[in-house]
Amino acid sequence: METLLRRLFRLPKREKSIFFFTLHKSASTLFGKVVLPHISNLRHIDFAAKIYSGELKKPPVFETYGYIYGPIRVWQESHNPESELLLEPCLKNDFLASKKCLLFIRDPRDILVSFYYSVASTHGISDVPEIALLQNQRRAEAMELGLDAYCLKIAPKIRENFLTLQRVHESCKYSLLLRYEDLVQNFSPFSTQLRSFLDIHPESLQRLFNESRPLQNENLSGHKRSGAIEGFRNKLTKNTLSTLNDQLRDILITFNYPH
């Protein structure tokens, strides 16, 4: 019920802050650029970017109203400032219990392939020494192992990340989970769901559509390599794919991916 004070002074409604949780290589940068900064009555803050650049070196403070925070990419890792400063406090059940959260996922097998190419060659290196050290270690490992072996090695980590997002989804007071595949293949119902949760500007929604279209030709040197759905089928060997399907079976079933 509207309060007397609000009626008398016509105070603007305060919008509850929103937390955008996602995964690496799931159009997180696209959302951070095109969607999150353009939500009515919410100010966007990307604490992960501030940590990556070295601007933020202590745990961030979150406001209950008026902000949209993200992308918050689930990837817990020892000695990683982003994990320690941002993820650890955000993933606590008592923190999530009262929060409004938007979650965005992608087929874990496409994530694995895209993550390999990003780690091995295309992603920039942070100026923060602790982050740069981890990035260089990952790059050396990816280049040594190659695509199939690297995907098999980090598949348990990707599975863990999905289980964490599932817990976030179940723990938040208000939450909506959306999939990359629906963004690309079923944009109309996808956008209806997104607009039910976010007051996004129409021009930003159109830009999201335009920039989420898969590339006609693969770009191995670009941040966006392809964006195709089930591109992993043309990249991984049959034996690797069979093993991954076994390792990720519960995740594929839970989030309605073919297996």
Side-chain angles (χ1 to χ4, degrees):
M1 182 179 294
E2 189 177 27
T3 65
L4 176 61
L5 180 65
R6 191 177 298 279
R7 289 200 303 270
L8 289 175
F9 294 96
R10 296 182 180 178
L11 295 177
K13 179 184 177 182
R14 294 195 302 169
E15 296 291 339
K16 190 171 181 65
S17 292
I18 295 176
F19 294 77
F20 177 66
F21 288 94
T22 186
L23 300 155
H24 286 287
K25 310 313 299 177
S26 302
S28 57
T29 299
L30 177 61
F31 264 78
K33 179 179 65 174
V34 172
V35 176
L36 305 187
H38 304 290
I39 307 302
S40 298
N41 301 322
L42 293 176
R43 179 185 174 190
H44 175 225
I45 295 185
D46 185 348
F47 282 128
K50 292 179 182 293
I51 294 170
Y52 184 84
S53 68
E55 181 183 347
L56 181 65
K57 298 182 180 180
K58 60 183 180 179
V61 175
F62 299 102
E63 300 293 338
T64 304
Y65 297 97
Y67 289 82
I68 184 163
Y69 298 106
I72 302 173
R73 301 173 181 88
V74 173
W75 181 276
Q76 293 168 281
E77 188 174 34
S78 298
H79 309 299
N80 185 335
E82 184 176 336
S83 179
E84 295 172 355
L85 297 178
L86 180 60
L87 273 179
E88 287 184 13
C90 283
L91 293 179
K92 293 180 179 178
N93 287 339
D94 57 350
F95 176 88
L96 293 168
S98 62
K99 299 301 185 290
K100 184 176 182 180
C101 301
L102 175 64
L103 297 88
F104 191 69
I105 63 171
R106 185 185 185 188
D107 190 310
R109 296 159 297 185
D110 274 329
I111 289 177
L112 285 167
V113 171
S114 293
F115 193 75
Y116 167 79
Y117 283 106
S118 177
V119 167
S121 61
T122 61
H123 200 290
I125 302 298
S126 173
D127 291 330
V128 177
E130 300 94 323
I131 298 176
L133 177 62
L134 291 170
Q135 288 180 303
N136 285 319
Q137 289 173 344
R138 287 197 213 112
R139 178 155 294 178
E141 180 181 47
M143 294 178 69
E144 179 181 357
L145 290 175
L147 174 61
D148 286 81
Y150 188 75
C151 288
L152 289 171
K153 179 177 175 57
I154 68 168
K157 183 70 173 178
I158 297 298
R159 178 179 177 275
E160 177 187 333
N161 294 340
F162 269 84
L163 291 175
T164 298
L165 276 181
Q166 183 179 5
R167 178 175 62 80
V168 171
H169 185 38
E170 294 169 351
S171 299
C172 290
K173 184 174 183 179
Y174 309 101
S175 66
L176 173 66
L177 188 145
L178 297 174
R179 306 190 319 161
Y180 175 82
E181 291 71 23
D182 298 315
L183 164 65
V184 174
Q185 296 179 317
N186 303 294
F187 188 78
S188 180
F190 174 90
S191 63
T192 298
Q193 283 189 289
L194 184 63
R195 285 186 286 111
S196 73
F197 205 78
L198 300 176
D199 188 4
I200 181 173
H201 300 166
E203 57 270 24
S204 298
L205 199 61
Q206 181 61 48
R207 188 179 171 193
L208 176 63
F209 173 82
N210 295 340
E211 297 194 22
S212 62
R213 301 307 91 192
L215 300 179
Q216 292 296 317
N217 298 301
E218 184 179 30
N219 179 8
L220 290 176
S221 63
H223 174 79
K224 181 176 180 179
R225 180 183 54 86
S226 170
I229 304 299
E230 296 191 4
F232 63 86
R233 297 192 186 279
N234 298 319
K235 291 293 185 179
L236 301 172
T237 67
K238 290 183 179 179
N239 286 339
T240 297
L241 183 54
S242 177
T243 302
L244 289 177
N245 286 343
D246 288 339
Q247 291 180 330
L248 301 169
R249 185 168 301 277
D250 58 337
I251 298 302
L252 298 175
I253 292 172
T254 297
F255 294 102
N256 197 30
Y257 287 112
H259 55 280

